[in-house]
Amino acid sequence: MGHRVLLVGMGAREHAVAWKLRQSPLVDELFIAPGNAGTSRLGTNLAVQPKDIEGLVKAAKEQRIDFYLATMDDPQPLGLVDRLTAEGILCYGPTQAAARLESSKAWSKEFMVAHGIRTAAARTFSDYREACRYVESLGDRPVVVKSSGLAAGKGVIVCNNGHEALQALDIAMVRRDFGSAGDTVLIEQRLYGWETSCHAFCDGKIAVMMPFSSDYKRAGDGDTGLNTGGMGAYSPSAGVTPEMAAAVQREVVEPTLEGMAAAGTPYCGTLYPGLMVTEDGVSVIEYNARFGDPETQALIVRLESDLFEVCRAAAEGKLDQVDVRWSDQASVGVVMASAGYPATYKLGYIIRGLEDIDPDVQVFHAGTKDDARGIVTSGGRVLTVVASGPTIAAARTRAYDNVRRISFTDAFYRKDIAAGL
Ligand SMILES: Nc1ncnc2c1ncn2[C@@H]1O[C@H](COP(=O)(O)OP(=O)(O)O)[C@@H](O)[C@H]1O
Ligand SMILES: [Mg+2]
């Protein structure tokens, strides 16, 4: 009998995963809570929000779901995997304890130091005055001030000097712009280099690496403007050599899994360390305990194996028994957003041109919904257009060619995703 699978989230990442799962003969029914217009065409959207753990458990029982595949960050630190496991539902995703790798930057920093995983030196403070005194003692050495808790990608302030660091402490600990996430902060040495995203399937004991990918966080071309959830991504990541990938597996991913298992909190699910490549080597910027968005949209089209089969094997602790194959093709994903994002923007505009997309190009929905007029915008990031090609340049040309066929009032997108590679 086929499986009844639950996804939680409403992004293009969830649509991409749903699209891939739909191709699995092992999956009978897909449920997405709360989903979007894109996921509603592949499965059943459930009107439950990602942080409503009681609601999700209830819906999972009502719908006789037997597998949960974690994609987004919110539910795991609240214990969704622990709760579903107790109900006898197989889960691919970290327990509450294992999700601390992402949900507490203070905890994960201690973990990395304890296990010799290279990361920027940092000190942790819960007292504002002590934090200020430490910054003053550093003179003008550039630091990064990080709120320890989950802050929806807004809690990290990269500072150029001591003055900016003191301002950052004020924002996090006095104004409390990130709420309780800023009760504890890390003051971290600022590193210089380029960033890449590592993703790995993990079964608690071993990991299978995915290809590397790169994302674009700033709203504007040339990395200007505000930080966003991500405006585009491509894979493979330019500059990551096979030697570098092997070193990341050996020096980051494997010690992480060993350390988590040794602590009695084995890590099952997708592990996504954000990395900075510096002159001295590769350093872990942070752990994410789930799939990246928009990296997943670019990765998923390169996966040739059955995603469900891989995740089920990982959930059963048998990742060594599956073969995970990837296409040699490169992929590029361009996010189309609502003007004003990530600040304020208007919603409810009709999206045109979705039927004009090349058949082998994917449009993964994020902020979209159905209304009487058709599919309309309902969020900041509206959709991701993903194309493949023999080279990144070829994939990029096709992605933008298709982006230009889609239109809605106030649409905006970066013009430089995967440019110059
Ligand atoms: N030690 C550091 N040195 C330089 N830049 C950093 C450092 N830590 C974080 N950053 C920058 O800030 C961004 C966000 O930090 P990260 O730890 O990934 O937090 P989050 O994704 O939770 O906001 C990183 O992608 C990187 O560009
Ligand atoms: Mg990050």
mmCIF file of all heavy atoms in Angstrom, residues 77-118:
data_model
loop_
_atom_site.group_PDB
_atom_site.id
_atom_site.type_symbol
_atom_site.label_atom_id
_atom_site.label_comp_id
_atom_site.label_asym_id
_atom_site.label_seq_id
_atom_site.Cartn_x
_atom_site.Cartn_y
_atom_site.Cartn_z
ATOM 1 N N PRO A 77 11.639 22.468 16.224
ATOM 2 C CA PRO A 77 12.002 22.931 17.568
ATOM 3 C C PRO A 77 10.817 22.918 18.533
ATOM 4 O O PRO A 77 10.999 22.950 19.748
ATOM 5 C CB PRO A 77 12.493 24.364 17.330
ATOM 6 C CG PRO A 77 12.904 24.394 15.902
ATOM 7 C CD PRO A 77 11.946 23.477 15.190
ATOM 8 N N LEU A 78 9.611 22.865 18.010
ATOM 9 C CA LEU A 78 8.420 22.796 18.870
ATOM 10 C C LEU A 78 8.015 21.347 19.133
ATOM 11 O O LEU A 78 6.986 21.093 19.767
ATOM 12 C CB LEU A 78 7.263 23.571 18.231
ATOM 13 C CG LEU A 78 7.519 25.075 18.037
ATOM 14 C CD1 LEU A 78 6.406 25.722 17.231
ATOM 15 C CD2 LEU A 78 7.662 25.768 19.394
ATOM 16 N N GLY A 79 8.796 20.415 18.610
ATOM 17 C CA GLY A 79 8.585 19.013 18.970
ATOM 18 C C GLY A 79 7.644 18.235 18.072
ATOM 19 O O GLY A 79 7.147 17.179 18.469
ATOM 20 N N LEU A 80 7.432 18.691 16.837
ATOM 21 C CA LEU A 80 6.486 17.960 15.981
ATOM 22 C C LEU A 80 6.933 16.515 15.721
ATOM 23 O O LEU A 80 6.117 15.589 15.782
ATOM 24 C CB LEU A 80 6.268 18.691 14.643
ATOM 25 C CG LEU A 80 5.275 17.996 13.703
ATOM 26 C CD1 LEU A 80 3.881 17.893 14.344
ATOM 27 C CD2 LEU A 80 5.186 18.702 12.351
ATOM 28 N N VAL A 81 8.230 16.337 15.450
ATOM 29 C CA VAL A 81 8.710 14.979 15.150
ATOM 30 C C VAL A 81 8.531 14.065 16.362
ATOM 31 O O VAL A 81 8.085 12.923 16.229
ATOM 32 C CB VAL A 81 10.182 15.025 14.675
ATOM 33 C CG1 VAL A 81 10.830 13.641 14.711
ATOM 34 C CG2 VAL A 81 10.248 15.628 13.264
ATOM 35 N N ASP A 82 8.825 14.578 17.551
ATOM 36 C CA ASP A 82 8.655 13.775 18.770
ATOM 37 C C ASP A 82 7.186 13.363 18.917
ATOM 38 O O ASP A 82 6.876 12.218 19.243
ATOM 39 C CB ASP A 82 9.088 14.591 19.993
ATOM 40 C CG ASP A 82 10.468 15.215 19.802
ATOM 41 O OD1 ASP A 82 10.615 16.081 18.910
ATOM 42 O OD2 ASP A 82 11.400 14.831 20.509
ATOM 43 N N ARG A 83 6.289 14.315 18.684
ATOM 44 C CA ARG A 83 4.857 14.030 18.855
ATOM 45 C C ARG A 83 4.350 13.029 17.814
ATOM 46 O O ARG A 83 3.612 12.105 18.129
ATOM 47 C CB ARG A 83 4.048 15.340 18.744
ATOM 48 C CG ARG A 83 4.242 16.283 19.934
ATOM 49 C CD ARG A 83 3.611 15.732 21.223
ATOM 50 N NE ARG A 83 2.216 15.347 21.017
ATOM 51 C CZ ARG A 83 1.191 16.198 21.012
ATOM 52 N NH1 ARG A 83 1.397 17.490 21.234
ATOM 53 N NH2 ARG A 83 -0.038 15.764 20.810
ATOM 54 N N LEU A 84 4.749 13.219 16.563
ATOM 55 C CA LEU A 84 4.272 12.311 15.514
ATOM 56 C C LEU A 84 4.857 10.915 15.706
ATOM 57 O O LEU A 84 4.177 9.909 15.485
ATOM 58 C CB LEU A 84 4.615 12.865 14.124
ATOM 59 C CG LEU A 84 3.897 14.159 13.721
ATOM 60 C CD1 LEU A 84 4.390 14.641 12.358
ATOM 61 C CD2 LEU A 84 2.380 13.984 13.698
ATOM 62 N N THR A 85 6.132 10.859 16.106
ATOM 63 C CA THR A 85 6.761 9.559 16.355
ATOM 64 C C THR A 85 5.998 8.806 17.446
ATOM 65 O O THR A 85 5.755 7.605 17.325
ATOM 66 C CB THR A 85 8.242 9.748 16.757
ATOM 67 O OG1 THR A 85 8.895 10.483 15.714
ATOM 68 C CG2 THR A 85 8.955 8.414 16.935
ATOM 69 N N ALA A 86 5.583 9.529 18.464
ATOM 70 C CA ALA A 86 4.818 8.901 19.554
ATOM 71 C C ALA A 86 3.478 8.356 19.052
ATOM 72 O O ALA A 86 2.918 7.430 19.636
ATOM 73 C CB ALA A 86 4.599 9.913 20.675
ATOM 74 N N GLU A 87 2.981 8.938 17.961
ATOM 75 C CA GLU A 87 1.722 8.456 17.363
ATOM 76 C C GLU A 87 1.981 7.328 16.366
ATOM 77 O O GLU A 87 1.061 6.890 15.669
ATOM 78 C CB GLU A 87 1.003 9.600 16.630
ATOM 79 C CG GLU A 87 0.572 10.748 17.521
ATOM 80 C CD GLU A 87 -0.557 10.377 18.476
ATOM 81 O OE1 GLU A 87 -1.256 9.363 18.222
ATOM 82 O OE2 GLU A 87 -0.724 11.086 19.482
ATOM 83 N N GLY A 88 3.240 6.913 16.246
ATOM 84 C CA GLY A 88 3.558 5.813 15.337
ATOM 85 C C GLY A 88 3.768 6.245 13.895
ATOM 86 O O GLY A 88 3.745 5.414 12.977
ATOM 87 N N ILE A 89 3.968 7.540 13.682
ATOM 88 C CA ILE A 89 4.173 8.054 12.318
ATOM 89 C C ILE A 89 5.679 8.160 12.065
ATOM 90 O O ILE A 89 6.416 8.742 12.864
ATOM 91 C CB ILE A 89 3.476 9.419 12.154
ATOM 92 C CG1 ILE A 89 1.960 9.239 12.331
ATOM 93 C CG2 ILE A 89 3.822 10.061 10.815
ATOM 94 C CD1 ILE A 89 1.184 10.538 12.421
ATOM 95 N N LEU A 90 6.115 7.567 10.964
ATOM 96 C CA LEU A 90 7.533 7.610 10.611
ATOM 97 C C LEU A 90 7.889 9.034 10.173
ATOM 98 O O LEU A 90 7.134 9.657 9.408
ATOM 99 C CB LEU A 90 7.780 6.606 9.480
ATOM 100 C CG LEU A 90 9.216 6.223 9.144
ATOM 101 C CD1 LEU A 90 9.952 5.647 10.356
ATOM 102 C CD2 LEU A 90 9.220 5.219 7.988
ATOM 103 N N CYS A 91 9.027 9.549 10.657
ATOM 104 C CA CYS A 91 9.400 10.943 10.371
ATOM 105 C C CYS A 91 10.800 11.037 9.792
ATOM 106 O O CYS A 91 11.738 10.422 10.310
ATOM 107 C CB CYS A 91 9.364 11.780 11.643
ATOM 108 S SG CYS A 91 7.726 11.965 12.360
ATOM 109 N N TYR A 92 10.927 11.844 8.761
ATOM 110 C CA TYR A 92 12.237 12.267 8.265
ATOM 111 C C TYR A 92 12.394 13.718 8.682
ATOM 112 O O TYR A 92 11.860 14.621 8.047
ATOM 113 C CB TYR A 92 12.310 12.135 6.738
ATOM 114 C CG TYR A 92 13.605 12.684 6.178
ATOM 115 C CD1 TYR A 92 14.796 12.007 6.352
ATOM 116 C CD2 TYR A 92 13.644 13.906 5.509
ATOM 117 C CE1 TYR A 92 15.992 12.516 5.872
ATOM 118 C CE2 TYR A 92 14.836 14.424 5.008
ATOM 119 C CZ TYR A 92 16.003 13.719 5.197
ATOM 120 O OH TYR A 92 17.189 14.225 4.734
ATOM 121 N N GLY A 93 13.093 13.932 9.797
ATOM 122 C CA GLY A 93 13.274 15.281 10.326
ATOM 123 C C GLY A 93 13.773 15.147 11.744
ATOM 124 O O GLY A 93 13.575 14.115 12.381
ATOM 125 N N PRO A 94 14.434 16.191 12.266
ATOM 126 C CA PRO A 94 15.043 16.094 13.588
ATOM 127 C C PRO A 94 14.029 16.210 14.727
ATOM 128 O O PRO A 94 13.041 16.925 14.626
ATOM 129 C CB PRO A 94 16.015 17.270 13.607
ATOM 130 C CG PRO A 94 15.440 18.263 12.656
ATOM 131 C CD PRO A 94 14.741 17.469 11.589
ATOM 132 N N THR A 95 14.329 15.507 15.823
ATOM 133 C CA THR A 95 13.580 15.690 17.065
ATOM 134 C C THR A 95 13.844 17.099 17.587
ATOM 135 O O THR A 95 14.758 17.787 17.127
ATOM 136 C CB THR A 95 14.070 14.695 18.123
ATOM 137 O OG1 THR A 95 15.470 14.950 18.339
ATOM 138 C CG2 THR A 95 13.873 13.246 17.672
ATOM 139 N N GLN A 96 13.055 17.457 18.606
ATOM 140 C CA GLN A 96 13.240 18.772 19.240
ATOM 141 C C GLN A 96 14.690 18.940 19.716
ATOM 142 O O GLN A 96 15.303 19.986 19.493
ATOM 143 C CB GLN A 96 12.287 18.851 20.432
ATOM 144 C CG GLN A 96 12.229 20.220 21.071
ATOM 145 C CD GLN A 96 11.053 20.314 22.031
ATOM 146 O OE1 GLN A 96 10.707 19.354 22.722
ATOM 147 N NE2 GLN A 96 10.426 21.467 22.054
ATOM 148 N N ALA A 97 15.230 17.891 20.329
ATOM 149 C CA ALA A 97 16.599 17.982 20.862
ATOM 150 C C ALA A 97 17.612 18.137 19.723
ATOM 151 O O ALA A 97 18.539 18.943 19.817
ATOM 152 C CB ALA A 97 16.922 16.756 21.698
ATOM 153 N N ALA A 98 17.418 17.398 18.637
ATOM 154 C CA ALA A 98 18.374 17.467 17.526
ATOM 155 C C ALA A 98 18.237 18.785 16.760
ATOM 156 O O ALA A 98 19.210 19.295 16.201
ATOM 157 C CB ALA A 98 18.175 16.275 16.593
ATOM 158 N N ALA A 99 17.026 19.350 16.751
ATOM 159 C CA ALA A 99 16.786 20.604 16.033
ATOM 160 C C ALA A 99 17.479 21.790 16.698
ATOM 161 O O ALA A 99 17.549 22.876 16.117
ATOM 162 C CB ALA A 99 15.282 20.874 15.915
ATOM 163 N N ARG A 100 18.018 21.571 17.922
ATOM 164 C CA ARG A 100 18.775 22.652 18.571
ATOM 165 C C ARG A 100 19.976 23.091 17.750
ATOM 166 O O ARG A 100 20.490 24.190 17.936
ATOM 167 C CB ARG A 100 19.265 22.190 19.952
ATOM 168 C CG ARG A 100 18.302 22.527 21.066
ATOM 169 C CD ARG A 100 18.908 22.146 22.392
ATOM 170 N NE ARG A 100 19.280 20.722 22.384
ATOM 171 C CZ ARG A 100 19.844 20.104 23.419
ATOM 172 N NH1 ARG A 100 20.124 20.754 24.519
ATOM 173 N NH2 ARG A 100 20.149 18.813 23.342
ATOM 174 N N LEU A 101 20.448 22.236 16.861
ATOM 175 C CA LEU A 101 21.551 22.647 15.985
ATOM 176 C C LEU A 101 21.204 23.950 15.275
ATOM 177 O O LEU A 101 22.058 24.772 15.011
ATOM 178 C CB LEU A 101 21.834 21.563 14.936
ATOM 179 C CG LEU A 101 22.694 20.373 15.360
ATOM 180 C CD1 LEU A 101 22.844 19.410 14.205
ATOM 181 C CD2 LEU A 101 24.066 20.832 15.858
ATOM 182 N N GLU A 102 19.918 24.124 14.943
ATOM 183 C CA GLU A 102 19.496 25.371 14.314
ATOM 184 C C GLU A 102 18.839 26.333 15.294
ATOM 185 O O GLU A 102 19.045 27.545 15.213
ATOM 186 C CB GLU A 102 18.503 25.101 13.162
ATOM 187 C CG GLU A 102 17.926 26.410 12.589
ATOM 188 C CD GLU A 102 17.199 26.255 11.274
ATOM 189 O OE1 GLU A 102 16.963 25.114 10.827
ATOM 190 O OE2 GLU A 102 16.863 27.299 10.676
ATOM 191 N N SER A 103 18.038 25.806 16.227
ATOM 192 C CA SER A 103 17.181 26.698 17.014
ATOM 193 C C SER A 103 17.937 27.443 18.106
ATOM 194 O O SER A 103 17.423 28.413 18.645
ATOM 195 C CB SER A 103 15.997 25.927 17.601
ATOM 196 O OG SER A 103 16.459 24.937 18.496
ATOM 197 N N SER A 104 19.146 27.004 18.420
ATOM 198 C CA SER A 104 19.965 27.755 19.376
ATOM 199 C C SER A 104 21.372 27.917 18.812
ATOM 200 O O SER A 104 22.141 26.959 18.743
ATOM 201 C CB SER A 104 20.037 27.033 20.725
ATOM 202 O OG SER A 104 21.037 27.651 21.531
ATOM 203 N N LYS A 105 21.693 29.139 18.418
ATOM 204 C CA LYS A 105 23.035 29.373 17.877
ATOM 205 C C LYS A 105 24.083 29.253 18.981
ATOM 206 O O LYS A 105 25.226 28.877 18.725
ATOM 207 C CB LYS A 105 23.099 30.732 17.187
ATOM 208 C CG LYS A 105 22.326 30.790 15.860
ATOM 209 C CD LYS A 105 22.629 32.076 15.112
ATOM 210 C CE LYS A 105 21.670 32.345 13.953
ATOM 211 N NZ LYS A 105 21.858 31.460 12.790
ATOM 212 N N ALA A 106 23.689 29.547 20.226
ATOM 213 C CA ALA A 106 24.628 29.404 21.342
ATOM 214 C C ALA A 106 24.956 27.919 21.538
ATOM 215 O O ALA A 106 26.123 27.542 21.677
ATOM 216 C CB ALA A 106 24.034 29.996 22.619
ATOM 217 N N TRP A 107 23.933 27.091 21.539
ATOM 218 C CA TRP A 107 24.142 25.652 21.719
ATOM 219 C C TRP A 107 24.972 25.079 20.573
ATOM 220 O O TRP A 107 25.907 24.296 20.779
ATOM 221 C CB TRP A 107 22.778 24.944 21.802
ATOM 222 C CG TRP A 107 22.904 23.517 22.221
ATOM 223 C CD1 TRP A 107 22.958 23.038 23.496
ATOM 224 C CD2 TRP A 107 23.015 22.383 21.341
ATOM 225 N NE1 TRP A 107 23.099 21.669 23.472
ATOM 226 C CE2 TRP A 107 23.133 21.241 22.171
ATOM 227 C CE3 TRP A 107 23.027 22.227 19.954
ATOM 228 C CZ2 TRP A 107 23.257 19.956 21.652
ATOM 229 C CZ3 TRP A 107 23.162 20.944 19.440
ATOM 230 C CH2 TRP A 107 23.267 19.820 20.278
ATOM 231 N N SER A 108 24.639 25.458 19.340
ATOM 232 C CA SER A 108 25.348 24.871 18.202
ATOM 233 C C SER A 108 26.802 25.356 18.157
ATOM 234 O O SER A 108 27.685 24.615 17.742
ATOM 235 C CB SER A 108 24.616 25.142 16.890
ATOM 236 O OG SER A 108 24.732 26.480 16.520
ATOM 237 N N LYS A 109 27.052 26.573 18.622
ATOM 238 C CA LYS A 109 28.446 27.042 18.683
ATOM 239 C C LYS A 109 29.239 26.182 19.666
ATOM 240 O O LYS A 109 30.338 25.718 19.361
ATOM 241 C CB LYS A 109 28.469 28.522 19.083
ATOM 242 C CG LYS A 109 29.840 29.157 19.114
ATOM 243 C CD LYS A 109 30.505 29.243 17.739
ATOM 244 C CE LYS A 109 29.876 30.286 16.845
ATOM 245 N NZ LYS A 109 30.614 30.457 15.568
ATOM 246 N N GLU A 110 28.662 25.930 20.840
ATOM 247 C CA GLU A 110 29.320 25.078 21.830
ATOM 248 C C GLU A 110 29.575 23.681 21.262
ATOM 249 O O GLU A 110 30.625 23.093 21.482
ATOM 250 C CB GLU A 110 28.421 24.904 23.059
ATOM 251 C CG GLU A 110 28.745 25.817 24.201
ATOM 252 C CD GLU A 110 27.783 25.586 25.355
ATOM 253 O OE1 GLU A 110 27.647 24.433 25.811
ATOM 254 O OE2 GLU A 110 27.148 26.570 25.774
ATOM 255 N N PHE A 111 28.576 23.184 20.553
ATOM 256 C CA PHE A 111 28.689 21.851 19.944
ATOM 257 C C PHE A 111 29.854 21.809 18.956
ATOM 258 O O PHE A 111 30.672 20.890 18.962
ATOM 259 C CB PHE A 111 27.366 21.506 19.249
ATOM 260 C CG PHE A 111 27.389 20.208 18.497
ATOM 261 C CD1 PHE A 111 27.078 19.012 19.136
ATOM 262 C CD2 PHE A 111 27.735 20.166 17.146
ATOM 263 C CE1 PHE A 111 27.110 17.801 18.444
ATOM 264 C CE2 PHE A 111 27.770 18.968 16.448
ATOM 265 C CZ PHE A 111 27.450 17.783 17.097
ATOM 266 N N MET A 112 29.941 22.827 18.110
ATOM 267 C CA MET A 112 31.017 22.839 17.100
ATOM 268 C C MET A 112 32.379 22.916 17.773
ATOM 269 O O MET A 112 33.317 22.215 17.369
ATOM 270 C CB MET A 112 30.827 24.024 16.142
ATOM 271 C CG MET A 112 29.711 23.795 15.145
ATOM 272 S SD MET A 112 29.611 25.105 13.909
ATOM 273 C CE MET A 112 28.472 26.241 14.666
ATOM 274 N N VAL A 113 32.491 23.759 18.783
ATOM 275 C CA VAL A 113 33.769 23.890 19.483
ATOM 276 C C VAL A 113 34.124 22.547 20.123
ATOM 277 O O VAL A 113 35.248 22.056 19.993
ATOM 278 C CB VAL A 113 33.703 25.035 20.521
ATOM 279 C CG1 VAL A 113 34.949 25.041 21.397
ATOM 280 C CG2 VAL A 113 33.538 26.378 19.800
ATOM 281 N N ALA A 114 33.149 21.922 20.772
ATOM 282 C CA ALA A 114 33.399 20.655 21.468
ATOM 283 C C ALA A 114 33.839 19.556 20.510
ATOM 284 O O ALA A 114 34.584 18.654 20.895
ATOM 285 C CB ALA A 114 32.153 20.218 22.225
ATOM 286 N N HIS A 115 33.372 19.625 19.247
ATOM 287 C CA HIS A 115 33.685 18.547 18.307
ATOM 288 C C HIS A 115 34.712 18.942 17.253
ATOM 289 O O HIS A 115 34.869 18.251 16.247
ATOM 290 C CB HIS A 115 32.392 18.028 17.664
ATOM 291 C CG HIS A 115 31.515 17.358 18.672
ATOM 292 N ND1 HIS A 115 30.559 18.041 19.387
ATOM 293 C CD2 HIS A 115 31.507 16.095 19.142
ATOM 294 C CE1 HIS A 115 29.980 17.210 20.236
ATOM 295 N NE2 HIS A 115 30.533 16.025 20.108
ATOM 296 N N GLY A 116 35.387 20.050 17.483
ATOM 297 C CA GLY A 116 36.466 20.448 16.593
ATOM 298 C C GLY A 116 36.008 20.788 15.184
ATOM 299 O O GLY A 116 36.751 20.576 14.218
ATOM 300 N N ILE A 117 34.783 21.282 15.063
ATOM 301 C CA ILE A 117 34.270 21.669 13.737
ATOM 302 C C ILE A 117 34.576 23.156 13.548
ATOM 303 O O ILE A 117 34.206 23.983 14.384
ATOM 304 C CB ILE A 117 32.757 21.368 13.658
ATOM 305 C CG1 ILE A 117 32.543 19.846 13.774
ATOM 306 C CG2 ILE A 117 32.155 21.922 12.361
ATOM 307 C CD1 ILE A 117 31.122 19.435 14.052
ATOM 308 N N ARG A 118 35.271 23.467 12.462
ATOM 309 C CA ARG A 118 35.773 24.830 12.288
ATOM 310 C C ARG A 118 34.630 25.849 12.157
ATOM 311 O O ARG A 118 33.735 25.687 11.320
ATOM 312 C CB ARG A 118 36.658 24.909 11.046
ATOM 313 C CG ARG A 118 37.370 26.252 10.906
ATOM 314 C CD ARG A 118 37.822 26.455 9.481
ATOM 315 N NE ARG A 118 38.847 25.496 9.092
ATOM 316 C CZ ARG A 118 40.155 25.768 9.103
ATOM 317 N NH1 ARG A 118 40.574 26.946 9.465
ATOM 318 N NH2 ARG A 118 41.012 24.862 8.698
#
